[in-house]
Amino acid sequence: MATVTFDKATRVYPGSTKPAVDGLDIDIADGEFLVLVGPSGCGKSTSLRMLAGLEDVNGGAIRIGDRDVTHLPPKDRDIAMVFQNYALYPHMSVADNMGFALKIAGVNKAEIRQKVEEAAKILDLTEYLDRKPKALSGGQRQRVAMGRAIVREPQVFLMDEPLSNLDAKLRVSTRTQIASLQRRLGITTVYVTHDQVEAMTMGDRVAVLKDGLLQQVDSPRNMYDKPANLFVAGFIGSPAMNLVEVPITDGGVKFGNSVVPVNRDALKAASDKGDRTVTVGVRPEHFDVVELNGGAAKTLSKDSADAPAGLAVSVNVVEETGADGYIYGTVEVGGETKDLVVRVSSRAVPEKGATVHVVPRPGEIHVFSSSTGERLTD
Amino acid sequence: MTVQTERPPSGPSDVRKADGGGTGGTRARAASRAGALAPYLLLLPAAAATVLLLGWPLVKDGLLSFQNLNMAQLIQHVTEWTGFDNYKEVLTGEDFWRVTVRSIIFTAVNVVLTMVVGGLIGLLLARLGRVMRFVLMIGLVLAWAMPVVAATTVYQWLFAQRFGVVNWVLDKLGWHSMADFSWTGSQFSTFFVVTVLIVWMSVPFVAINLYAATTTIPDELYEAAALDGAGMWRSFTSVTLPFLRPFLYATTFLEVIWIFKAFVQVYTFNGGGPDRLTEILPVYAYIEGVGNQHYGMGAAIAVLTILILLGLTAYYLRIVLKQEEDEL
């Protein structure tokens, strides 16, 4: 059990001037499940490997509990890692794989066997203990890799995209199993993934990285409700948040034919920077369709009384997932065409090729600075 | 249900068509027969060359070993069948067994040295930087590509009694008694030089092979081992060695064969001397057969040599096959 602290940890690969991880600052609480997420090349795996001791730290420090582990070799850090390709020793049986660390630590055989069997029971691997890894399915191998980590009872679990080699269905069920196992064991866990759904569903907190820079660390809820900048707003959520650059008008922003009220401080912050537009983020489920009796449309003031409210969306594709319907359409904003996704009730789905008008619900919009990408509303 | 009752008629008629002797069917079968023959046709040139160049001499050698064929018979073109006389004489003689034991010890020492030195250089290759690896690789390939007789000649010069570089260096380093040392003068020193020569020529194959094998080991395994607390030695024995094992078996197998029949080095360096003390089986067969013109006797020794080599490698092959079974 331990906390983990990244204190301005920086990694610069030899031969490169740009840091792969740049001044990473995260405090991870004891027993917390933290997910590092970001697009490929964002430095999430590098951060994890720095914590593991597989990657040098060129600046700052990393602490586990009160111990400064910045320059300790991996074996002295008391951590266990689950690799993307599992890294099972191919010539050892499942039991030997799981007990290898204990064997090196000099634990006696009976105790190793007992611990391995306990872990095997938790992971439903008891009948496979004498098999070699290559005689196992992908899901079973993944569980052996987990077992190898559990058996050691380390201070910290590190997981580097452990589900990416599983098929979609198995991934979803294993995701839940890993999360519940972690809750049960209460061991601090750092988990790396590129999949934001995995991040949102598994983590106590999520850290979003981009180009080696930490963008935001927060609970999944806050991450979704209050993304700190345009990148996080576009990255978290599926389908992604719609980001539309709109002109500022008196008391709000002009959204097609409607004026959507925005906090004055936010507008002032934008205009202080010299911006004449702001970028408005609206999640697909926060649009109301005027033609389908959208409630929000009536509350907004219109520019010209005879035209319909909101933005005109020409519907290209309608996806029905059963519970919901999603309209994929294009709108014209400021002379540019933009793609837009709108969630509608699956009971009332517009035709392909139709034109509908949408307005955002006033309380549910996110306003970002067009120049810096920072969040303006709170 | 209704769908099923409607369908059956089409099913059987399809099957009959495929079975029946329509023209389309025969043509297809002829084509497939030609297709089945194709692999054998492709193998034919190699098989023919093997039979011609290896099989025929082997049969010839076998026949010779049952004949009493010396210079006299050769000139007079007579064939004297003598049954197992040649074998009886060879197997009851003292020389043959002495040479056999010598051959086995010689092979064992050379193979062990080759594998150890080659293995270490292979591991060194894996750890070197790009430039140094390239340089070492070139050196290895050159040593390997050297024609055997040329290499042996160079070694003869290096170890020459009066003007050899080796003696000169040893003398300069303080071993003045080595100044005019005759390397070909005794059994041990001859074997020493031949062993150095053979190991030097065999190491590149082993080193490059094992280096290639190390590149197949995923880095993740070393990282996992490091996290599991393994030090250098532990990760070598637990990760590297198991991966190298099949390669070690295969290269040892080949080296045993190659070194056991290392005729050229031994014969060219000192002709099996001094006093026939460094004859190994192939050299013994050649000197008895061709040198002393007892062709039938030489053939019998050659057959026995093949049998001994088969025996040695069969035992070894068994280990390899067993290992493969274990892997599965």
Side-chain angles (χ1 to χ4, degrees), chain B residues 16-73:
Chain B
R16 220 174 299 129
K17 204 172 177 186
D19 265 353
T23 46
T26 21
R27 200 176 303 144
R29 212 172 314 137
S32 83
R33 205 180 306 137
L37 269 176
Y40 299 101
L41 279 174
L42 292 172
L43 279 176
L44 194 63
T50 308
V51 167
L52 211 67
L53 298 174
L54 281 176
W56 177 240
L58 197 65
V59 170
K60 225 21 201 168
D61 184 70
L63 290 175
L64 275 182
S65 70
F66 294 105
Q67 295 171 15
N68 181 23
L69 183 65
N70 299 328
M71 206 46 170
Q73 287 85 348

Side-chain angles (χ1 to χ4, degrees), chain A residues 49 87-89 91 104 134 152, chain B residues 221 223 225 227-229 238 242:
Chain A
R49 293 168 57 82
L88 301 177
Y89 309 115
H91 55 281
I104 291 175
K134 75 170 150 190
R152 293 186 47 193
Chain B
L221 284 183
E223 293 176 350
L227 283 161
D228 276 342
S238 295

Side-chain angles (χ1 to χ4, degrees), chain A residues 184-195:
Chain A
R184 179 143 56 116
L185 299 170
I187 293 176
T188 315
T189 302
V190 184
Y191 185 106
V192 163
T193 180
H194 63 268
D195 180 352

Side-chain angles (χ1 to χ4, degrees), chain A residues 49 52 54 74-75 79 81 83 85 87-91 100-101 103-104 134 148 152, chain B residues 220-231 234 237-239 242-243 326-328:
Chain A
R49 293 168 57 82
L54 300 171
K75 67 183 168 74
I79 46 180
M81 184 157 166
F83 291 84
N85 301 316
L88 301 177
Y89 309 115
H91 55 281
F100 188 59
K103 191 174 148 196
I104 291 175
K134 75 170 150 190
R148 192 165 65 177
R152 293 186 47 193
Chain B
E220 268 192 353
L221 284 183
Y222 289 109
E223 293 176 350
L227 283 161
D228 276 342
R234 199 56 185 249
T237 55
S238 295
V239 179
F243 265 92
D326 286 350
E327 287 288 306
L328 299 173

Side-chain angles (χ1 to χ4, degrees), chain B residues 93-171:
Chain B
E94 221 180 287
D95 280 356
F96 175 76
W97 294 111
R98 202 168 39 231
V99 174
T100 303
V101 171
R102 188 188 293 153
S103 289
I104 291 174
I105 294 173
F106 172 77
T107 307
V109 168
N110 275 280
V111 169
V112 167
L113 283 174
T114 304
M115 291 310 295
V116 169
V117 176
L120 290 176
I121 293 180
L123 293 173
L124 178 68
L125 275 173
R127 307 215 65 165
L128 283 176
R130 266 174 40 146
V131 177
M132 281 312 289
R133 177 158 62 223
F134 185 70
V135 170
L136 184 52
M137 234 17 165
I138 298 257
L140 287 170
V141 170
L142 285 179
W144 195 22
M146 186 89 137
V148 182
V149 176
T152 313
T153 310
V154 170
Y155 269 67
Q156 276 175 321
W157 292 342
L158 286 174
F159 287 89
Q161 188 174 357
R162 293 188 58 198
F163 302 111
V165 174
V166 175
N167 284 352
W168 179 79
V169 168
L170 288 172
D171 182 33

